[in-house]
Amino acid sequence: MKISNAEYARRRRKLMAMMAPDSIAIIPAAQEKLRSRDTEYPFRQDSDFYYLSGFCEPGAVLVLIPGRAHGEFVMFCRERDPATELWHGSRAGPDGACDHFGADDAFPVTDVDEILPGLIEGRDRVYYSMGRSAEFDRQIMGWVNSIRSKESSGASPPGEFTDLDHMLHDMRLIKSAAEQKLLRRAGEITASAHRHIMRYCQPGMFEYELEGELHHQFVRGGARYPAYLSIVGSGVNACTLHYVENSSKMRAGDLVLVDAGCEFEYYAADVTRTFPVNGRFNAEQRAIYELVLAAHGAAIAEIRAGNHWNQPHDASVRVITAGLVKLGLLEGEVDELVEAQAYQPFYMHRLGHWLGLDVHDVGDYRVGDEWRLLEAGMVMTVEPGIYIAPGNTDVARKWRGIGVRIEDDVLVTASGCEVLTADAPRTIEEIEATMAA
Ligand code: GLY
Ligand code: MN
Ligand code: MN
């Protein structure tokens, strides 16, 4: 279950077809990052680089040169070296980049300063992702300046620099059938891990024990890494949106909010479930939970091709505001409260975001002055929440410190949507039954 070489080639062709005549695109691989002293973070390839190549080594530069007679896809990568490979594992090398990754031409990355200016020379326009890495920006300017220095001998430097992100990220926004499969699998593994930890959870455990158990389930499902830092927040910790300490002991009577998703073949899942540590919701937890669940349902009902990006968000805001009034947490007319954004102290984030190779995936949310229209093949999260700050003295004490979010991953289809993470128990009945089993 992987993206085929044919699909990578299609992506490169599609991008090249959108590029201006006589242009070149340059995309660097991610760099290895030090965690401490001489130990590194696990290496993760840059998503744009990976999307166009499937090549997962650091120290590489991918170059697309539409119309180049000696080949349009050029790769610079680390040379093979038996002594180094003995310690650090095998490398494709330039020959492997051609034989296994479809490069037309490949060179050792140590020669990039010598060779790349010659490939840029004579091209009118350079596409690259500007401002993402100061070092890469400097490198690009170095290559261009080396051409400028030879202008008197007839060299012709490019006159235009264009951000690559817009074109490339618009492609990444619409997921192919093969990408949908991988996202579906990431969703299944993640949903089943959430189900598992609902059974595993016991009062007195530490939050990180749920985190560890969840990650173990990801690995057992074939997904080595989580797609982002997992959040396991019990009690008032659930009200800190990006709580990642995961270090408190979980108490009976509290809820625990778990926001965690695996990365499967580079594609992310992003799921949140909130459940009672002891398996039973109390009255206030139940009321808030039902309200978030209703907002989640209202949002999902607005997801279909042709609706705009903001429609599901608006639906969730309405439901949450009306519900908060009903529970006595807000006072006033629902329309006016929505207009005044009175829900903000309780629901302070957007309904969701695009999902794909990155958990907060690329792609514009607006086109000009308008919200983007949803299209079949887009994948987004739906994650309404209500968080009642422990210090919120405007509400009765019994509500304070309750935090609930329900998050699923959703594929937009022509007629509606497909929830990719539906196997994670979501209703109160499902959760209580799962935890009792
Ligand atoms: N887990 C990050 C998010 O929900 O956006
Ligand atoms: Mn999340
Ligand atoms: Mn999310």
Side-chain angles (χ1 to χ4, degrees):
M1 214 189 199
K2 273 181 188 281
I3 302 292
S4 66
N5 276 352
E7 179 158 340
Y8 289 116
R10 266 200 303 280
R11 293 172 181 175
R12 292 190 295 270
R13 275 202 303 276
K14 186 169 174 192
L15 180 62
M16 286 194 278
M18 288 191 278
M19 291 166 59
D22 293 318
S23 63
I24 181 169
I26 307 174
I27 300 119
Q31 309 225 354
E32 289 172 300
K33 289 191 182 69
L34 279 189
R35 180 168 183 269
S36 178
R37 199 163 159 84
D38 54 5
T39 59
E40 283 149 7
Y41 286 104
F43 178 73
R44 167 59 157 76
Q45 187 55 285
D46 175 81
S47 295
D48 286 339
F49 186 98
Y50 190 78
Y51 182 79
L52 292 171
S53 66
F55 190 74
C56 47
E57 292 183 27
V61 180
L62 183 160
V63 184
L64 297 177
I65 317 170
R68 177 173 174 262
H70 298 294
E72 298 180 310
F73 171 24
V74 180
M75 182 85 99
F76 293 88
C77 63
R78 302 175 307 179
E79 269 188 293
R80 299 213 57 182
D81 171 20
T84 312
E85 289 180 49
L86 182 67
W87 284 83
H88 299 290
S90 69
R91 301 171 166 186
D95 287 343
C98 294
D99 295 345
H100 306 303
F101 295 90
D104 298 311
D105 218 353
F107 305 98
V109 71
T110 41
D111 294 345
V112 70
D113 291 332
E114 232 162 276
I115 295 173
L116 196 46
L119 298 176
I120 298 173
E121 201 269 321
R123 297 268 148 184
D124 296 335
R125 186 190 297 242
V126 179
Y127 291 91
Y128 76 103
S129 289
M130 295 174 186
R132 224 191 275 172
S133 144
E135 190 186 334
F136 191 65
D137 287 349
R138 245 193 326 274
Q139 256 183 311
I140 292 260
M141 283 312 138
W143 295 325
V144 170
N145 283 334
S146 89
I147 304 169
R148 285 183 182 146
S149 70
K150 298 189 186 96
E151 264 184 289
S152 60
S153 353
S156 122
E160 293 183 68
F161 298 86
T162 303
D163 195 24
L164 179 67
D165 289 4
H166 185 72
M167 267 172 4
L168 183 55
H169 294 175
D170 227 49
M171 285 174 59
R172 279 179 53 188
L173 180 53
I174 309 292
K175 274 66 181 179
S176 70
E179 290 181 291
Q180 291 173 23
K181 257 193 192 166
L182 297 179
L183 283 159
R184 202 173 279 122
R185 186 73 194 121
E188 286 165 1
I189 295 167
T190 299
S192 125
H194 277 266
R195 175 185 289 276
H196 175 89
I197 59 156
M198 284 179 192
R199 294 214 177 97
Y200 179 80
C201 181
Q202 296 291 335
M205 282 182 175
F206 286 88
E207 293 162 343
Y208 54 72
E209 294 184 68
L210 290 193
E211 180 183 24
E213 192 65 18
L214 199 66
H215 292 187
H216 183 217
Q217 291 301 310
F218 292 169
V219 171
R220 292 193 61 194
R224 169 90 189 275
Y225 294 111
Y228 54 92
L229 288 182
S230 301
I231 297 169
V232 183
S234 62
V236 299
N237 295 337
C239 296
T240 301
L241 292 182
H242 288 160
Y243 174 81
V244 290
E245 284 87 352
N246 302 353
S247 57
S248 297
K249 193 181 258 198
M250 300 184 293
R251 296 179 317 189
D254 279 345
L255 294 176
V256 56
L257 181 155
V258 180
D259 183 345
C262 74
E263 183 175 280
F264 180 73
E265 288 294 337
Y266 283 77
Y267 285 81
D270 183 7
V271 171
T272 307
R273 287 294 183 266
T274 311
F275 52 91
V277 170
N278 64 1
R280 303 286 299 175
F281 286 83
N282 71 26
E284 288 74 30
Q285 293 165 350
R286 183 176 287 267
I288 298 299
Y289 193 93
E290 291 290 10
L291 181 48
V292 176
L293 187 63
H296 179 283
I300 296 246
E302 292 297 325
I303 299 178
R304 84 184 67 94
N307 279 7
H308 63 67
W309 166 254
N310 214 35
Q311 264 167 278
H313 176 76
D314 282 347
S316 71
V317 161
R318 263 211 152 268
V319 169
I320 284 177
T321 305
L324 291 172
V325 170
K326 219 167 181 182
L327 294 175
L329 287 154
L330 282 178
E331 272 175 49
E333 282 297 313
V334 173
D335 285 339
E336 287 166 20
L337 293 169
V338 168
E339 180 65 29
Q341 302 190 339
Y343 53 86
Q344 282 262 2
F346 304 98
Y347 180 26
M348 61 294 280
H349 57 73
R350 299 277 314 176
L351 176 76
H353 48 82
W354 305 130
L355 182 75
L357 285 170
D358 286 291
V359 63
H360 293 166
D361 208 31
V362 294
D364 294 332
Y365 292 96
R366 298 183 77 99
V367 179
D369 289 339
E370 303 284 335
W371 289 109
R372 180 157 208 148
L373 293 184
L374 298 177
E375 294 173 45
M378 291 175 169
V379 177
M380 59 185 282
T381 66
V382 170
E383 49 179 305
I386 295 178
Y387 316 89
I388 307 171
N392 186 340
T393 51
D394 294 340
V395 303
R397 193 176 294 275
K398 64 178 181 177
W399 300 110
R400 295 180 203 163
I402 296 179
V404 173
R405 175 164 66 253
I406 305 171
E407 175 172 30
D408 280 291
D409 303 341
V410 171
L411 166 67
V412 181
T413 64
S415 57
C417 64
E418 176 189 341
V419 179
L420 305 176
T421 48
D423 288 346
R426 195 195 301 140
T427 66
I428 286 182
E429 297 67 41
E430 284 167 352
I431 290 172
E432 291 190 341
T434 303
M435 296 186 75

